Structure formats: structure tokens, C-alpha cells
């Protein structure tokens, strides 16, 4: 509809195709202007900031072939459909290998339809962790093949479209693209009926095939864990809370979970820390566990009051641990390193989905024709420790 509306305004004697191509080229001009250090910086509210860092930090270092890549893409526009142009642009922006540098997959231009499944990576491979009611037989199965490829082979294919700084981040963020019809079609993985054939296997079962169609991304999905009718584990009991805490009497543990580095208007973080201190004073000698496994980042400064409180009470508290995993990303990785360095925490878990040194301070740019949202970064956050989690 967007493209049709724009075609309606095409000048006399100019074909709709030529109009579309020119509009894409205008988008690329806007992109180049803003990513270049000469361009304006855009903050989270998309308001031009005359005092902020202009353009992408270390642009030439991160995108040494940017001009050639964009020129090549522009030359190819007439022979590409809109979805192919978006995928090529995603690849260019992801080439910096910076977590926050990305083209957000749109819900238009062929990107709308999704598999009625969700995937999750585990040490023994890829599994189906959620499915619509029509495909409940897939729940909890191990994915043996995607079409005729192994999950690892497909992951390697999509790696160039996913901005990532390590393998854990690729596996965490790449799962979303494994559901998108246009991406899997682009990779040549769909059958003649535009379905994805998966070879699945239940524990100790015989492998079976399932041809899955694509549909509305809003289709309700049932999580595999919900089918067990088991009580959620402590760490998954309050996923929507910004942060929360509980004293575990049986293990003499002060458990703190921080799910996002954002101040909760209903419970400012400083007040939350005061509550934690009161609890710590009531349970002297208790060990402390800070869970950052589901924290995708935000404002790295949020945790400073907690770090300071822990530093001051090292002599009255027991052992201190920080839990991390592939879902620990962005500023949450910085938090883990800070708690290790300043409060002598022991890091436990899996490799984090980020690094302790990276580009941050995200900026957002909406391209005028395609309405694609391009995210880039304005600052470098340097090494804080010789050891990354």
C-alpha cells in the first residue's frame, strides 16, 4: 500500500518502477548522510541533537566499503524486489559486527509472515520452544534439519544479516530470522508450496517431517514449558518485572533479578536498593545472587547504587555471584564486569550475548520512503577488564 501510494504521485512520463527506484535511491542518500560523521545525530526521541556525536562513531573503521556497497546496491535496485533490497541493506549495516547497528526487520515488504513456531538454542542443538495449537506435535522437539540443511548450516547462512559480536549473540538474535518467510525463501529453503519442511525428533524418538506454512505473526503460541503444567522456576516467575528480590531462607540467599536496565516508574531503582539494604541488614552473612541472564541492556548507570551498596557491605555479606547467559546483552554485560571488578562477584553461567567493550549510545533513523528503522551507535565504551564474561 505504501509503495502503491507513492507510485500514484509519480511524475508524467515516469514509470512506477522508475519512481520506486528513485525513492530507494533517496533513502540511501539520507542513510549515507546520517551515518557519515558529517550527518546529524538522532537521539531516542528522534530529535536532532546539535551537540551530540554526529553520525556513526568510527564510521570509516566499521564500514570501510560502505560507499562501494551502497553504490552496488543502487545499481542493482531495478532487478531486485523490495524485500531483497531490505536484506541487502541489513547485510551492509550488520557488516560492522556491532550489536546495536541494525536494520529492524519491517512488517511490510514481504517480512510480515512468520512460522507458527519459536526456536531456542541449547547445548545439544536447536529446539522448538513454542508453537501454535495446530502444530503442538512440534513442541519440545529437536530440530534435526531445516529443509535439507542442519540448523548450524542455516545459522551460518543468516549470520551476515545478524549484527553480532560473538557466537552467543548470533544464536540469541538469529532465532527471530529463522521464522521469517522472506528470509527463508531468499535462502532457498522453502518447498514448491512455500512451506518450510522441518525434520524433528522427540527425545529417544524417531525423526519425522513437518511441512509448516507461514501466517499471521500474531497467532497465539503455546510454550513447551506451559504444557508441562509445572510451577515456573524462581528465575522465570516474574519475567515482566523490571527488577525484584527475594530472601531464600533455605539457602540463606538474597536473590536479585534485574531484567532490564530501565528505571521502573512504580519502583525507582534507588528505592529498590534501599529495600535490598534493609533485607541485607536483617540477614547478615547471607550470600547474594544477582541474576542478569534475561537482561538485554539499557542504561548501564542504573545498577550503580546497587554496586556501591554491595561494595560497602562486602564484610557483612557472604559469597557474591552474578548469573549470566546468552540473554545478557548490552549494558548488562558491562554491569556483570563492574560487579566482578568492584564488588568481587563470581560470574557463573554461559557466555554472555555481548562483549565488555563495544559501541553504544544507539541512534535511530527512519528512512523516508521505505520507513525502515536503521539503528547505529554514537559512542565507544572501551575495555573495562582483561576478562570478558
Amino acid at each position: 500500500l505504501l509503495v502503491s501510494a507513492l507510485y500514484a504521485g509519480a511524475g508524467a512520463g515516469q514509470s512506477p518502477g522508475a519512481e520506486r527506484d528513485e525513492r530507494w535511491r533517496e533513502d540511501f542518500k539520507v542513510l549515507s548522510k546520517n551515518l557519515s560523521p558529517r550527518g546529524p545525530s538522532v537521539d531516542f526521541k528522534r530529535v536532532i541533537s546539535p551537540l551530540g556525536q554526529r553520525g556513526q562513531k568510527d564510521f570509516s573503521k566499521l564500514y570501510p566499503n560502505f560507499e562501494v556497497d551502497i553504490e552496488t546496491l543502487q545499481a542493482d535496485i531495478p532487478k531486485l524486489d523490495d524485500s531483497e533490497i531490505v536484506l541487502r541493506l541489513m547485510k551492509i549495516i550488520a557488516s560492522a559486527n556491532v550489536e546495536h547497528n541494525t536494520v529492524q526487520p519491517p512488517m511490510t515488504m514481504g517480512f510480515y509472515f512468520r512460522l507458527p513456531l519459536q526456536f531456542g538454542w541449547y547445548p545439544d542443538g536447536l529446539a522448538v520452544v513454542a508453537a501454535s495449537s495446530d502444530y503442538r506435535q512440534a513442541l519440545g522437539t529437536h530440530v534435526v534439519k531445516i529443509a535439507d540443511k542442519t540448523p548450524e548450516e542455516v545459522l551460518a547462512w543468516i549470520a551476515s544479516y545478524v549484527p553480532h559480536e560473538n557466537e552467543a549473540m548470533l544464536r540469541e538474535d538469529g532465532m527471530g530470522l529463522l521464522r521469517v518467510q522472506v528470509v527463508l525463501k531468499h535462502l532457498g529453503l522453502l518447498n514448491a508450496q512455500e512451506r518450510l519442511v522441518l525434520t524433528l525428533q522427540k527425545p529417544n524418538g524417531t525423526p519425522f517431517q513437518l511441512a509448516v506454512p507461514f501466517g499471521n505473526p500474531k497467532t497465539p503460541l503455546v510454550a513447551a514449558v506451559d504444557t508441562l503444567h509445572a510451577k515456573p522456576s524462581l528465575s522465570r516467575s516474574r519475567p515482566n518485572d523490571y527488577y525484584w528480590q527475594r530472601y531464600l531462607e533455605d539457602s540463606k540467599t538474597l536473590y536479585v533479578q534485574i531484567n532490564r536496565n530501565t528505571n521502573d516508574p512504580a519502583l525507582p531503582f534507588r528505592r529498590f536498593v534501599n529495600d535490598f539494604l534493609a533485607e541485607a541488614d536483617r540477614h547478615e552473612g547471607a550470600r547474594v545472587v544477582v541474576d542478569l541472564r534475561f537482561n538485554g541492556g539499557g542504561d548501564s548507570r542504573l545498577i550503580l547504587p546497587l554496586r556501591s551498596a554491595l561494595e560497602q557491605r562486602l564484610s557483612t555479606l557472604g559469597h557474591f555471584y552474578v548469573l549470566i547467559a546468552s540473554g545478557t546483552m548490552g549494558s548488562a554485560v558491562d554491569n556483570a564486569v563492574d560487579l566482578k571488578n568492584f564488588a568481587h562477584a563470581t560470574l557463573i553461567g554461559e557466555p554472555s550475548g555481548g562483549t565488555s567493550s563495544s559501541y553504544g549510545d544507539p541512534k535511530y533513523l527512519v528512512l523516508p520512503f521505505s520507513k525502515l528503522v536503521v539503528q547505529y551507535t554514537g559512542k565507544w565504551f572501551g575495555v573495562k577488564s582483561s576478562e570478558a564474561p
Side-chain angles (χ1 to χ4, degrees):
L1 292 176
L2 171 63
V3 174
S4 299
L6 289 166
Y7 287 169
Q14 190 172 27
S15 71
E19 173 72 2
R20 182 208 75 140
D21 297 352
E22 186 57 34
R23 294 283 190 170
W24 271 115
R25 292 188 181 98
E26 288 297 322
D27 269 5
F28 295 144
K29 288 180 183 177
V30 171
L31 176 66
S32 298
K33 179 180 178 182
N34 280 272
L35 243 63
S36 157
R38 298 184 298 276
S41 178
V42 182
D43 65 18
F44 285 103
K45 296 181 180 179
R46 298 176 186 151
V47 176
I48 293 178
S49 172
L51 301 178
Q53 162 72 37
R54 291 184 175 273
Q56 170 62 50
K57 177 71 174 175
D58 295 336
F59 173 78
S60 298
K61 174 184 175 182
L62 295 178
Y63 295 108
N65 303 313
F66 184 82
E67 291 185 7
V68 173
D69 290 340
I70 289 294
E71 287 175 4
T72 302
L73 177 53
Q74 290 193 87
D76 290 343
I77 286 175
K79 58 186 180 184
L80 300 174
D81 65 26
D82 288 340
S83 65
E84 292 172 320
I85 294 173
V86 174
L87 286 168
R88 287 271 294 271
L89 189 57
M90 288 173 65
K91 205 169 186 177
I92 291 172
I93 299 302
S95 68
N97 292 319
V98 173
E99 175 188 1
H100 295 299
N101 285 36
T102 182
V103 176
Q104 296 180 10
M107 296 300 285
T108 57
M109 295 181 284
F111 284 79
Y112 182 76
F113 296 109
R114 302 288 200 275
L115 286 172
L117 308 173
Q118 283 184 349
F119 302 102
W121 282 101
Y122 294 89
D124 60 347
L126 188 68
V128 178
V129 298
S132 68
S133 58
D134 292 337
Y135 293 93
R136 292 176 71 97
Q137 68 267 43
L139 282 174
T141 58
H142 175 73
V143 181
V144 180
K145 287 286 185 72
I146 300 174
D148 61 344
K149 305 295 180 184
T150 66
E152 289 76 14
E153 288 174 326
V154 176
L155 184 68
W157 278 8
I158 68 172
S160 59
Y161 301 96
V162 181
H164 61 281
E165 298 169 20
N166 59 26
E167 184 74 12
M169 185 185 297
L170 171 60
R171 291 179 183 271
E172 185 74 20
D173 287 349
M175 289 184 293
L177 290 187
L178 287 177
R179 300 184 63 212
V180 181
Q181 181 183 33
V182 73
V183 174
L184 298 170
K185 183 177 181 178
H186 179 73
L187 297 176
L189 296 172
L190 305 189
N191 67 9
Q193 291 75 43
E194 298 281 296
R195 294 189 174 202
L196 182 69
V197 177
L198 295 170
T199 302
L200 306 173
Q201 184 176 20
K202 289 186 178 291
N204 302 317
T206 302
F208 65 96
Q209 288 192 333
L210 198 62
V212 188
F214 296 81
N216 190 329
K218 297 180 181 179
T219 300
L221 303 182
V222 177
V225 68
D226 291 338
T227 65
L228 301 175
H229 304 293
K231 183 180 179 181
S233 64
L234 177 68
S235 64
R236 296 182 181 274
S237 62
R238 297 170 66 172
N240 297 322
D241 286 15
Y242 288 46
Y243 32 78
W244 60 279
Q245 60 180 301
R246 182 181 301 173
Y247 179 69
L248 309 176
E249 180 66 43
D250 57 345
S251 60
K252 310 299 182 187
T253 299
L254 275 169
Y255 176 82
V256 177
Q257 186 175 71
I258 304 175
N259 290 322
R260 63 186 78 173
N261 283 352
T262 305
N263 215 31
D264 184 353
L267 179 61
F269 195 72
R270 287 188 179 276
R271 198 172 85 200
F272 171 77
V273 171
N274 288 336
D275 293 342
F276 166 81
L277 292 176
E279 196 73 10
D281 290 342
R282 283 194 293 270
H283 303 285
E284 188 171 322
R287 67 176 176 176
V288 177
V289 174
V290 176
D291 192 344
L292 300 177
R293 287 176 293 176
F294 310 107
N295 191 325
D299 187 345
S300 61
R301 298 167 297 182
L302 178 86
I303 207 169
L304 291 179
L306 179 61
R307 190 192 81 181
S308 177
L310 289 167
E311 284 183 89
Q312 295 171 14
R313 280 171 166 73
L314 289 176
S315 61
T316 61
L317 292 172
H319 294 295
F320 177 28
Y321 304 94
V322 173
L323 307 183
I324 60 173
S326 60
T328 309
M329 295 185 173
S331 62
V333 179
D334 295 337
N335 294 160
V337 173
D338 281 349
L339 291 173
K340 175 179 181 290
N341 290 344
F342 294 97
H344 307 295
T346 299
L347 304 187
I348 296 178
E350 302 172 326
S352 64
T355 61
S356 57
S357 298
S358 186
Y359 292 86
D361 188 25
K363 314 293 179 183
Y364 297 87
L365 172 68
V366 180
L367 301 184
F369 165 58
S370 61
K371 304 304 179 186
L372 289 175
V373 178
V374 180
Q375 183 175 305
Y376 59 101
T377 45
K379 291 183 181 179
W380 164 254
F381 296 89
V383 176
K384 297 181 180 179
S385 169
S386 59
E387 298 181 40

